[in-house]
Amino acid sequence: MIKQILVLFFITMVVFGQYSPKSFQLDDKKLSKIEGSQSIKDVTPSSNSIIDIIATDNLIILGTSSGLSLSEDNGENWTNYYQREPFGEDGITAIGYNNGIIWATTGKTTEVNGENLPEGTGIKYSTDNGITWTSIQQPVDSPGDSSITYGINTLRALPVTTKINNISYDIAFTKNTIWISSFAGGLRKSSDMGVTWERVILPPDNLDFISPNDILDFSLQPVAGKFGKESWLNHRVFSVISVNDSTLYVGTSGGINKSTNNGISWKKFNHQNQANPISGNFAVGLGYNKANNSIWAATWKAEGLEEFYAVSHSSDGGENWEVTLPDERAHNLGFKYFNASDFHVMVPTDKGIFRSKNNGNTWVQPTSIKDTYSKIPIVTNIFISAASNRLNATDYYIWVGSNNGLARLSETNGFWEGEWKVYLASNDIKLDETYAFPNPFSPSQELIKIKYGLSSASDVTIRIMNFGMELVRTLVQNTPRGIGGQFEFWDGKDESGKIVTNGVYFYRIDSDALSKPLFGKIMVLK
């Protein structure tokens, strides 16, 4: 599975400009418009791995490991684009919404010399809420694109001629301009809806500022190789947001870069060059809090010995940073706005979803996330995305995405209290059939879900057995279950509460509603 590091985008319109960088023309075959269809509606998104969420008044946009999912009625019905043109079976690596246009960047895993590596597969956008799509191939350079003009300088630039490791992790918008951030491809912009792309110069690791009038001598180069020995962490780009008509923030493996003149000059903030710095230089996600004009970042440890994982936020444009949630690996930022100055911050992490109503001074997690009616829970600690939309003057939806399902909270009873709806994607089940997913599964990260169908309401018993058919755990015994599709969950533990060893396990389902016992196989990989 592709390692995807993504952010929510809280973006306003910006005017763009830069000193004459070289552009890279895509040929006509790389830009195509494809008819889609919204006639097929599903009750859940296409995947349980929810990479990113954008929530507007009624339109919900999900980027998932199995393509794009859209809902125009706040989650009652979903249009899923997995295995449909132009998405195919690619995963979504970033999503955006600007001036009524839906954007998605895509990627897949490709085997290269026995190693699975991420490959960028392009950008898609729709101007009619997903009915038709325009597909753009992943921007790449020609072998001769080895220099860039930046003000008074002509700088060497490593041509990125492959889509391998050239995957777009974030997308942002300014006036008439699209910005994408890529590990190998760096920061790029397009002012013609993706027909051509231009590389954008950021400071190398040994410079904190660059301006077109400076005399500069470095290469635009994220990794060392035959092209040169330079390997700049600050040229490995992962996140980008725009704030106003002239201000951009870009997160890299080397810190957070800020431009106040439309991407022409840049100032770099990192753990080493400020008195009150970010926690770590690997800025995997950025968020803009429009209620108090603050910048929030999921900042991970990069290479500095004193760096650490946390969330960093600044109320003075990056000059000083406050650090909260130390040692938490945050993936994303989300905000719930009540009025012009009242807000909550939401942070999805590897240890659950956190929320603060006092600008990060204290944090609260939900006691559990379980569907109010079906009782199906979100059974994971890994949360990746969060968003909120306002229904009316008093009612809101909060959306949280994990690696094991999506949840929507209709919050009317207080902090993290209200009616939960859990969306769990699974294949249709026939009566007298069963399967388990995800399979293989890792007990340290998730629970495996056992799905089965009953022809009538009946008591159910489910037992887990090892490869020698010895009893490991009784999940449920003579427990009442209703007609139709059912779920049970196993945490990978035996009767004594210990996590089982790696290997193959079997489960058996017994019920009077079944014509015969049902059997399934589970692979445990820690």
Side-chain angles (χ1 to χ4, degrees):
M1 182 178 293
I2 300 171
K3 172 67 176 175
Q4 294 163 320
I5 307 171
L6 307 165
V7 295
L8 294 176
F9 314 110
F10 300 93
I11 299 165
T12 54
M13 300 298 293
V14 180
V15 177
F16 174 84
Q18 178 154 349
Y19 281 76
S20 59
K22 184 177 290 186
S23 64
F24 304 96
Q25 178 73 44
L26 298 174
D27 61 48
D28 293 338
K29 295 181 180 179
K30 296 183 179 180
L31 192 66
S32 59
K33 192 167 186 177
I34 299 173
E35 296 294 327
S37 173
Q38 290 187 310
S39 60
I40 302 173
K41 300 293 183 181
D42 298 310
V43 295
T44 70
S46 56
S47 171
N48 291 322
S49 184
I50 311 300
I51 304 303
D52 203 0
I53 306 171
I54 293 176
T56 64
D57 292 340
N58 292 304
L59 178 64
I60 309 301
I61 308 169
L62 303 181
T64 83
S65 61
S66 296
L68 191 74
S69 296
L70 302 180
S71 175
E72 296 183 88
D73 54 12
N74 270 312
E76 298 305 314
N77 297 279
W78 296 90
T79 300
N80 294 315
Y81 293 89
Y82 184 64
Q83 295 181 332
R84 295 166 62 181
E85 290 296 330
F87 294 93
E89 296 186 354
D90 294 347
I92 303 298
T93 57
I95 55 175
Y97 187 66
N98 183 61
N99 289 338
I101 302 176
I102 301 169
W103 294 82
T105 65
T106 57
K108 64 181 181 180
T109 299
T110 299
E111 184 176 338
V112 179
N113 298 325
E115 183 179 3
N116 289 328
L117 297 174
E119 176 182 351
T121 56
I123 305 161
K124 286 79 176 170
Y125 69 87
S126 175
T127 60
D128 52 16
N129 274 8
I131 297 175
T132 60
W133 292 90
T134 298
S135 182
I136 307 165
Q137 286 200 12
Q138 188 71 22
V140 295
D141 305 324
S142 298
D145 295 326
S146 58
S147 65
I148 294 180
T149 300
Y150 179 68
I152 63 174
N153 304 276
T154 299
L155 301 176
R156 297 179 74 241
L158 173 67
V160 180
T161 59
T162 176
K163 299 176 184 178
I164 301 297
N165 283 324
N166 181 12
I167 191 166
S168 299
Y169 287 114
D170 205 351
I171 184 170
F173 312 94
T174 62
K175 188 175 182 180
N176 301 321
T177 305
I178 310 149
W179 302 75
I180 57 172
S181 58
S182 306
F183 169 78
L187 181 65
R188 301 194 179 214
K189 62 153 186 172
S190 173
S191 56
D192 53 14
M193 296 293 286
V195 177
T196 58
W197 293 90
E198 301 171 358
R199 289 188 282 185
V200 180
I201 297 290
L202 294 175
D205 295 359
N206 60 347
L207 294 178
D208 294 333
F209 309 89
I210 61 168
S211 169
N213 295 322
D214 298 336
I215 298 176
L216 301 171
D217 183 18
F218 65 88
S219 296
L220 178 60
Q221 189 167 348
V223 293
K226 294 180 180 179
F227 186 79
K229 296 182 179 180
E230 294 174 323
S231 178
W232 304 124
L233 295 176
N234 202 48
H235 291 169
R236 304 174 190 176
V237 185
F238 288 90
S239 51
V240 55
I241 59 171
S242 57
V243 171
N244 56 37
D245 286 348
S246 59
T247 305
L248 293 160
Y249 291 85
V250 175
T252 73
S253 295
I256 297 174
N257 301 267
K258 178 184 180 182
S259 174
T260 58
N261 57 1
N262 309 321
I264 299 172
S265 302
W266 293 91
K267 180 178 183 179
K268 182 177 65 187
F269 308 120
N270 63 26
H271 187 76
Q272 290 76 27
N273 69 1
Q274 291 182 283
N276 300 302
I278 57 178
S279 69
N281 290 343
F282 189 5
V284 303
L286 294 171
Y288 172 58
N289 183 353
K290 64 184 181 182
N292 66 356
N293 297 316
S294 59
I295 300 299
W296 290 71
T299 44
W300 290 20
K301 176 181 173 63
E303 295 187 353
L305 295 178
E306 296 182 354
E307 297 178 30
F308 58 96
Y309 295 88
V311 171
S312 305
H313 61 103
S314 173
S315 59
D316 61 2
E319 296 301 320
N320 294 277
W321 297 85
E322 295 182 56
V323 175
T324 184
L325 290 176
D327 300 322
E328 297 293 346
R329 298 191 183 199
H331 296 282
N332 216 322
L333 293 310
F335 302 94
K336 178 180 178 180
Y337 298 109
F338 296 92
N339 52 50
S341 59
D342 192 10
F343 63 91
H344 290 176
V345 183
M346 296 176 288
V347 179
T349 77
D350 280 354
K351 295 181 181 177
I353 179 80
F354 291 83
R355 183 172 164 194
S356 175
K357 61 181 179 180
N358 54 15
N359 206 39
N361 291 323
T362 58
W363 297 89
V364 177
Q365 293 182 280
T367 54
S368 66
I369 298 178
K370 181 183 293 186
D371 192 287
T372 301
Y373 298 102
S374 71
K375 308 304 180 184
I376 293 176
I378 295 287
V379 283
T380 183
N381 291 325
I382 300 175
F383 286 80
I384 310 170
S385 50
S388 175
N389 61 329
R390 189 169 189 166
L391 306 180
N392 51 51
T394 58
D395 297 325
Y396 300 79
Y397 279 148
I398 290 178
W399 301 82
V400 292
S402 75
N403 69 339
N404 212 1
L406 171 73
R408 183 193 73 189
L409 173 62
S410 177
E411 192 170 54
T412 56
N413 301 331
F415 210 69
W416 285 129
E417 295 181 2
E419 183 178 294
W420 284 100
K421 182 176 178 62
V422 170
Y423 302 87
L424 200 60
S426 62
N427 295 328
D428 292 336
I429 193 78
K430 296 180 180 179
L431 300 180
D432 291 354
E433 287 188 352
T434 182
Y435 64 89
F437 67 99
N439 202 358
F441 93 107
S442 173
S444 63
Q445 295 185 352
E446 58 199 346
L447 277 69
I448 194 166
K449 295 168 279 291
I450 298 173
K451 188 172 184 179
Y452 59 98
L454 299 177
S455 59
S456 62
S458 176
D459 292 346
V460 173
T461 297
I462 300 180
R463 298 179 178 90
I464 306 292
M465 295 161 287
N466 62 20
F467 195 75
M469 300 307 290
E470 299 170 318
L471 180 65
V472 173
R473 175 88 174 269
T474 300
L475 289 186
V476 294
Q477 186 166 7
N478 297 326
T479 303
R481 292 292 184 259
I483 188 173
Q486 308 293 326
F487 283 102
E488 309 294 346
F489 301 89
W490 182 40
D491 57 7
K493 296 179 180 179
D494 60 19
E495 292 286 13
S496 65
K498 296 180 180 179
I499 294 179
V500 299
T501 58
N502 288 349
V504 176
Y505 294 81
F506 301 94
Y507 64 90
R508 170 175 172 154
I509 304 175
D510 291 284
S511 171
D512 290 340
L514 299 172
S515 59
K516 59 182 179 180
L518 301 180
F519 292 88
K521 183 170 67 174
I522 295 171
M523 174 69 75
V524 174
L525 290 176
K526 297 180 185 178

